[in-house]
Amino acid sequence: MAFENILVQNKGRIQYIIINRESKLNALNKFTLCELHEALTDAFKSSGVGGIIITGSGTKAFVAGADISEFADLDIKGGTDMARTGQSTVFDIIANGNKPVIAAINGFALGGGLELAMACHIRIAADSAKMGLPEVTLGLIPGYGGTQRLTQLVGRGKALELIMTADMLTAAEALSAGLVNHVVFQDNLLPKAEEIMNKILTRAPLALASAIKTVNDFGTECINGFETEIREFGKCFGTEDFKEGVSAFLEKRKAEFKGK
Ligand code: COA
């Protein structure tokens, strides 16, 4: 299957899925998400694939976020649909997949990029990688599961600090916060991901599927924070601050928010 914005490569029982829009820092536009959905669905079904490594093309970015140029015309319904569709067709499919998925974070993992990495079961970062959820700089909040998964990984206080300041963490800071499992030199990123995946692939596949499912059920309460996130993300699209944030990014200037 040939894709335009992703590359799918098999190496033994490992399938690489590489986001391949280097000129846009591998930003996730709608089309890329559709391709990811297709590739992931195939990979989880394929008996020849034992596990998946997701990475980005080049050395600058894993994924620099959702494609901001597609935000400008969205209203509350459009924003809500975007979050719901993205979560159900890509991010939840990865998190709830029956095979291990490792994110090899080769550069910027921002917004939807960090959310993509956080949906994976294990994260390995190059020492040059930078990670953050800068959505509030655009008048938005994370919409692809970021508020929930970051909180699960680093705890409520650190998650709120990162989301509200929009600060980026270095790879070393992400390691000490528990956001990534390992940090390695860029040249060693894929070898390290393969080493871990190859070890996992010597284990019992059905037990791996059960382990993923069971660990994912940890801490699930009656309140579905993902639903709250979808609603609140959608609501942001009805604000003037959102229009200002996105226009400022596209016009390459500093946003001036008015709290409306
Ligand atoms: N959506 C759409 N396009 C993006 C993008 C995104 N999330 N992130 C980067 N790009 C594009 C830029 O617009 C630019 O395109 P152009 O060359 O056609 O103008 C190209 O990728 C290179 O990015 P640029 O900003 O010139 O690189 P930089 O090295 O100066 O800065 C970043 C790198 C990551 C700091 C900066 O691109 C950035 O802040 N990106 C947005 C991050 C973000 O807010 N993500 C969350 C979205 S919800």
Side-chain angles (χ1 to χ4, degrees):
M1 168 75 65
F3 293 105
E4 272 179 45
N5 292 346
I6 62 173
L7 300 170
V8 175
Q9 293 165 359
N10 292 312
K11 188 169 179 188
R13 296 185 60 228
I14 298 176
Q15 180 163 99
Y16 274 97
I17 298 182
I18 303 163
I19 320 296
N20 191 31
R21 288 185 84 210
E22 212 178 325
S23 67
K24 295 291 176 187
L25 303 189
N26 301 322
L28 297 174
N29 61 3
K30 257 197 235 164
F31 189 69
T32 308
L33 287 169
C34 285
E35 292 195 332
L36 271 174
H37 171 74
E38 207 169 313
L40 287 161
T41 310
D42 284 352
F44 284 122
K45 273 195 296 205
S46 164
S47 57
V49 175
I52 301 162
I53 297 175
I54 299 181
T55 193
S57 277
T59 52
K60 186 165 174 183
F62 173 70
V63 167
D67 191 321
I68 300 169
S69 66
E70 290 185 340
F71 285 4
D73 297 330
L74 294 180
D75 56 11
I76 293 176
K77 180 173 181 316
T80 308
D81 289 348
M82 176 190 164
R84 193 180 300 286
T85 305
Q87 286 195 18
S88 64
T89 62
V90 174
F91 296 79
D92 293 350
I93 288 198
I94 295 170
N96 301 325
N98 60 354
K99 296 172 186 176
V101 185
I102 296 180
I105 305 170
N106 53 308
F108 286 113
L110 301 175
L114 182 56
E115 291 173 299
L116 183 67
M118 291 193 295
C120 296
H121 305 126
I122 293 172
R123 280 154 295 286
I124 303 165
D127 58 341
S128 55
K130 294 250 175 71
M131 285 155 263
L133 293 177
E135 284 85 349
V136 294
T137 66
L138 300 168
L140 294 173
I141 62 166
Y144 287 148
T147 62
Q148 305 303 294
R149 293 198 175 98
L150 185 65
T151 306
Q152 286 163 353
L153 285 164
V154 306
R156 193 178 295 260
K158 190 74 188 165
L160 276 169
E161 182 187 341
L162 286 172
I163 291 168
M164 294 197 296
T165 60
D167 278 349
M168 284 187 216
L169 295 182
T170 62
E173 289 165 339
L175 182 66
S176 74
L179 181 53
V180 300
N181 300 62
H182 300 276
V183 175
V184 294
F185 291 123
Q186 181 93 35
D187 285 352
N188 200 30
L189 181 64
L190 300 184
K192 181 71 180 175
E194 287 181 18
E195 178 196 317
I196 294 175
M197 185 64 89
N198 281 324
K199 181 186 275 187
I200 293 172
L201 294 184
T202 64
R203 316 305 190 200
L206 292 178
L208 295 180
S210 291
I212 294 168
K213 186 171 177 1
T214 311
V215 171
N216 281 352
D217 275 356
F218 170 78
T220 302
E221 293 164 24
C222 314
I223 296 169
N224 185 346
F226 289 95
E227 270 303 317
T228 312
E229 181 180 293
I230 288 168
R231 257 193 335 269
E232 295 303 314
F233 179 77
K235 260 169 50 185
C236 293
F237 285 82
T239 67
E240 286 180 27
D241 280 351
F242 150 71
K243 291 188 180 67
E244 166 62 11
V246 169
S247 304
F249 177 81
L250 296 175
E251 291 159 17
K252 300 187 188 296
R253 62 176 172 81
K254 198 168 175 331
E256 287 184 28
F257 294 121
K258 299 210 167 61
K260 289 197 248 177

